[in-house]
Amino acid sequence: KRISFAFDKSVAPLKQGPLSLAVPSTVERALENMKKKIADEIANDMYNLMRELEPYMTEAMDLENLLRTRMSALPNADFEGLLHPIFQEDEPKLVLVGGVLGALL
């Protein structure tokens, strides 16, 4: 959205005043296509940049230790509440496997 806004702002002089007569619909469509291509390229570049920066950001922010510290400080009920949605879909399978393993042992 911000890219689109910046693009529109930069080409606004072409669409105002006496120049507006010189901007036929074909040029308008070309500008819209150009805006979309620019926005797509920037979004793509940002995605690739973030993937490359992820290891550095993880280390710089010490996320592993931060998460470990914060999660270990959670009360048991809150910790279970955090994990429960992750395993909820597979809960019947986990209960079944646990029951089978319990019966075997």
Side-chain angles (χ1 to χ4, degrees):
K1 291 180 182 180
R2 292 176 190 229
I3 296 165
S4 180
F5 176 77
F7 184 88
D8 288 340
K9 189 175 178 181
S10 67
V11 298
L14 296 175
K15 299 177 184 179
Q16 296 172 354
L19 287 178
S20 64
L21 298 174
V23 183
S25 62
T26 54
V27 173
E28 185 76 31
R29 281 194 301 274
L31 287 172
E32 285 299 315
N33 288 339
M34 186 185 309
K35 178 171 58 173
K36 183 178 178 348
K37 286 180 182 178
I38 290 170
D40 289 347
E41 283 294 318
I42 290 173
N44 208 18
D45 288 347
M46 286 300 294
Y47 175 77
N48 291 330
L49 179 64
M50 294 305 291
R51 284 186 49 215
E52 291 175 19
L53 285 174
E54 184 181 357
Y56 166 75
M57 290 188 316
T58 300
E59 183 180 331
M61 291 189 274
D62 199 18
L63 287 178
E64 183 178 346
N65 286 326
L66 177 66
L67 288 172
R68 183 182 300 119
T69 303
R70 298 255 173 106
M71 288 178 75
S72 65
L74 285 174
N76 288 342
D78 291 346
F79 185 73
E80 180 191 347
L82 178 71
L83 292 180
H84 190 74
I86 297 168
F87 296 106
Q88 192 170 17
E89 183 179 320
D90 295 325
E91 191 171 11
K93 293 176 196 171
L94 293 170
V95 169
L96 180 63
V97 169
V100 170
L101 290 175
L104 292 174
L105 298 175

